[in-house]
Amino acid sequence: MPIKKHLTLAIACLSLTACAALDELAKKFNPSQTLAETKPPATWQAPLPHDGEINNLLEFWQRYPDPVLLDLINTAQLQAPTLATAVANLAEARANRVRTNAARQPKLDANASAQRSLQQPEDSSFGSGINQQTIGGGDFGVNEPQDILQTGLQAAWELDLYGAHKAVAEAADRQEKAAKAAWHEARVVVAAEVATSYFNYLLCTQQSVMQTAIANSSTESARLNNIAFDAGFTDVSKKTIAHANAADDKQQARYQALQCELEVKNLTALTYLPEPEVREKLSAAQSSKPDINLKMLFIINEVPAQVIAQRPDVYRAEADLITAAANVKDAAAERYPKVTLNGSIGWMRISSDSFVSSGRVWSLGPVSVTLPIFDGGTLKANQDVAEARYTEAAAKYRSTVQTAVKEVENALINLHNNGERDVDVQQALQSLQDNLVAIETKQKAGFANMIDVEDARRSLMQTKKSALTLQQDRANAWLNLYRAAGGGWQVGTPIESAEITQNTKKRFYNRKGKT
């Protein structure tokens, strides 16, 4: 008895020591403190665009009145391998959550067994049936074969003395939510890539038309300079420069057409559609002349903390930090005593030729205590690794927040800059339009020639092309802001299950006749 008391007292002291040590670790590796210390700026350091509001991804693109773009985005999301990976990661995170929660619960196993055995060989010196014993009030021949049938339930439960299992389970739940956020992030990326390529193509074709017109004007100027040179009204240098400009504008027209073709190839790769079908959709979009203005969709008028919090990558980095803290606690708990409760209940039947006994059997215990004594430093090394991983997760979280702020700020600056440049471009267009009208008037009055008219017309077309380039930059800036703000994702946004996603794919293939 004194040994038992001393052992119990020693285990209790070790458990109290473990609790105190784990409390110190919780203070040192505290994700809440890291999150509180990593704060975005109180206000944006860039001008904010005006009008509109942020919507989540499920509503964002539905507000844009372009069915061709919506169809391309939906098709790409059905095929994107990044979304398939995100669904697989989500399934793995769910399974891990189930495993960690199961580790906190008692384990219950059912068992059944049947056995026939001869416990003592027959001794011929006594003769058959002579060696007998009385067991349980009846005669039982010990040299007779015995049949033992047994069924029961076996339970075991490891007590969570230090809360390590609870912390790991909560971290696993957070990781599952982070996997859902990653699924939304994958959809945001695919939608942004398709929209970027789509808008680039539409504006590229307009730029190509404008550059072709510029090249035709340069060719006409070169022809007029030839006539003027032959008539002695201009020198050879102007003629040479005119031909050089014509050749340069012609090669720029070819290059612009190439860029449009590359966007078609990119959309084909993103959507996995046959290229002729992609071209057909793009032709329909050009015919409808959609308004390439994303200003109607959203703005950023929230404070930085709200915008950053709705980014999936920031949420995942936060989940990784919480998981790292739980792993530190779990690794430290492995170095201290574990207490496991065991028990069983069942039914047993023992029979032989001369004996039958059956009934309920049960046991409570043993209560097992496991205390690591010597492991060669493995458990301490595991704890050191877990602590280092926490430091790494904290650094990654801070970096993710800083990157998120930078991306939003950059997008806001680009939008503001595009707005200011647009004012200048519109003024330039108006002035060049007035200049062309004036030159044409002078030409009709005989005070200017056709070369002057072509030069004025070409300057106007060059500025119109610059306006299209600026419009393309503005669309890309809006899409960058869309991605930087997390695509409107928020914690709790619903997600399709893998089964729903697969069913959607089946419907898509059936619609395309690819079954």
Side-chain angles (χ1 to χ4, degrees):
M1 290 298 292
I3 296 177
K4 182 178 179 181
K5 289 182 179 180
H6 290 145
L7 181 61
T8 302
L9 181 61
I11 293 173
C13 291
L14 282 172
S15 298
L16 291 174
T17 302
C19 291
L22 291 174
D23 286 342
E24 288 298 320
L25 280 175
K27 294 177 182 179
K28 182 178 180 181
F29 301 97
N30 185 357
S32 299
Q33 182 178 353
T34 302
L35 296 176
E37 292 174 351
T38 309
K39 292 182 178 180
T43 58
W44 295 112
Q45 302 302 307
L48 300 180
H50 301 288
D51 302 326
E53 60 184 15
I54 291 181
N55 288 273
N56 64 47
L57 182 61
L58 301 179
E59 301 174 357
F60 186 88
W61 289 110
Q62 279 71 11
R63 297 183 60 193
Y64 190 73
D66 189 342
V68 175
L69 175 58
L70 293 179
D71 185 41
L72 291 174
I73 289 176
N74 291 332
T75 302
Q77 288 178 344
L78 289 174
Q79 303 295 334
T82 52
L83 276 168
T85 300
V87 170
N89 291 339
L90 176 57
E92 183 177 357
R94 284 173 175 167
N96 187 55
R97 173 181 57 81
V98 172
R99 284 194 297 268
T100 53
N101 285 328
R104 301 177 59 196
Q105 307 299 323
K107 294 181 179 179
L108 184 63
D109 297 320
N111 56 70
S113 63
Q115 177 183 353
R116 181 176 177 82
S117 63
L118 183 64
Q119 298 295 329
Q120 179 178 330
E122 181 177 355
D123 191 341
S124 60
S125 62
F126 290 97
S128 177
I130 296 177
N131 187 14
Q132 302 285 333
Q133 278 185 323
T134 301
I135 301 178
D139 292 336
F140 178 70
V142 295
N143 60 339
E144 295 177 355
Q146 304 171 24
D147 296 322
I148 302 176
L149 300 176
Q150 185 173 2
T151 61
L153 298 174
Q154 181 74 35
W157 183 22
E158 180 183 336
L159 302 183
D160 190 12
L161 296 178
Y162 318 112
H165 293 337
K166 179 182 178 182
V168 172
E170 291 175 347
D173 181 69
R174 193 63 176 264
Q175 284 292 336
E176 181 185 359
K177 294 178 180 177
K180 292 180 181 179
W183 183 85
H184 285 281
E185 183 180 24
R187 292 190 67 198
V188 168
V189 171
V190 171
E193 288 180 350
V194 172
T196 299
S197 187
Y198 178 77
F199 292 134
N200 284 347
Y201 175 81
L202 293 182
L203 290 166
C204 180
T205 55
Q206 295 180 42
Q207 291 171 312
S208 182
V209 169
M210 193 62 61
Q211 184 60 45
T212 299
I214 292 172
N216 292 336
S217 176
S218 294
T219 301
E220 178 64 12
S221 291
R223 187 185 70 83
L224 294 173
N225 271 278
N226 283 339
I227 296 174
F229 176 77
D230 293 340
F233 293 113
T234 187
D235 57 30
V236 68
S237 62
K238 290 185 178 181
K239 172 186 173 182
T240 304
I241 291 175
H243 280 274
N245 290 337
D248 183 61
D249 288 337
K250 188 178 295 185
Q251 70 85 18
Q252 288 189 41
R254 290 193 176 98
Y255 178 77
Q256 190 67 53
L258 170 65
Q259 298 306 307
C260 300
E261 285 297 307
L262 293 178
E263 293 299 344
V264 174
K265 303 296 184 183
N266 191 41
L267 281 170
T268 301
L270 286 171
T271 59
Y272 294 85
L273 291 173
E275 186 172 316
E277 186 173 345
V278 173
R279 290 185 181 276
E280 182 180 350
K281 291 179 180 295
L282 293 176
S283 178
Q286 287 176 299
S287 301
S288 62
K289 297 181 180 179
D291 181 18
I292 307 175
N293 180 15
L294 300 182
K295 186 178 181 180
M296 67 181 74
L297 295 182
F298 72 105
I299 63 165
I300 299 295
N301 57 7
E302 291 90 345
V303 297
Q306 292 172 326
V307 173
I308 298 307
Q310 70 184 18
R311 280 181 52 127
D313 57 339
V314 173
Y315 186 81
R316 284 188 288 113
E318 182 179 335
D320 290 341
L321 181 64
I322 294 173
T323 301
N327 290 338
V328 170
K329 192 171 186 178
D330 187 50
E334 290 292 324
R335 303 176 60 194
Y336 297 104
K338 296 180 181 179
V339 178
T340 304
L341 303 179
N342 296 277
S344 65
I345 185 172
W347 177 87
M348 177 183 289
R349 182 179 186 273
I350 303 176
S351 66
S352 68
D353 293 342
S354 59
F355 175 80
V356 176
S357 177
S358 63
R360 185 177 63 181
V361 293
W362 60 272
S363 68
L364 182 61
V367 177
S368 61
V369 179
T370 304
L371 175 63
I373 301 298
F374 178 76
D375 58 12
T378 301
L379 296 179
K380 180 61 171 63
N382 291 340
Q383 181 179 338
D384 291 341
V385 170
E387 293 177 1
R389 290 299 182 192
Y390 178 89
T391 303
E392 178 190 26
K396 286 184 176 180
Y397 175 77
R398 288 190 289 267
S399 175
T400 302
V401 171
Q402 291 172 351
T403 300
V405 172
K406 181 191 72 173
E407 290 179 352
V408 175
E409 294 276 9
N410 288 347
L412 292 174
I413 290 174
N414 285 332
L415 280 173
H416 180 70
N417 180 262
N418 283 327
E420 291 183 330
R421 290 168 58 195
D422 185 62
V423 174
D424 297 333
V425 168
Q426 295 304 319
Q427 291 179 352
L429 284 173
Q430 185 60 52
S431 298
L432 290 172
Q433 181 64 47
D434 295 341
N435 178 64
L436 177 60
V437 172
I439 293 294
E440 288 177 336
T441 302
K442 291 174 63 177
Q443 187 270 332
K444 291 177 181 178
F447 296 104
N449 55 47
M450 287 301 299
I451 295 177
D452 297 330
V453 173
E454 288 299 328
D455 288 343
R457 181 180 292 114
R458 194 160 53 253
S459 294
L460 177 59
M461 288 188 292
Q462 289 281 11
T463 304
K464 286 183 177 180
K465 184 185 175 185
S466 297
L468 289 171
T469 302
L470 181 60
Q471 189 177 4
Q472 184 176 2
D473 292 342
R474 187 185 305 113
N476 289 333
W478 277 114
L479 290 169
N480 288 336
L481 182 58
Y482 163 72
R483 293 180 64 170
W489 172 85
Q490 295 177 353
V491 179
T493 302
I495 179 174
E496 298 175 13
S497 66
E499 181 179 356
I500 294 177
T501 303
Q502 292 298 325
N503 290 337
T504 304
K505 288 185 177 181
K506 291 177 181 178
R507 291 196 299 271
F508 172 76
Y509 284 122
N510 289 334
R511 178 172 63 85
K512 300 303 296 177
K514 297 180 179 180
T515 56

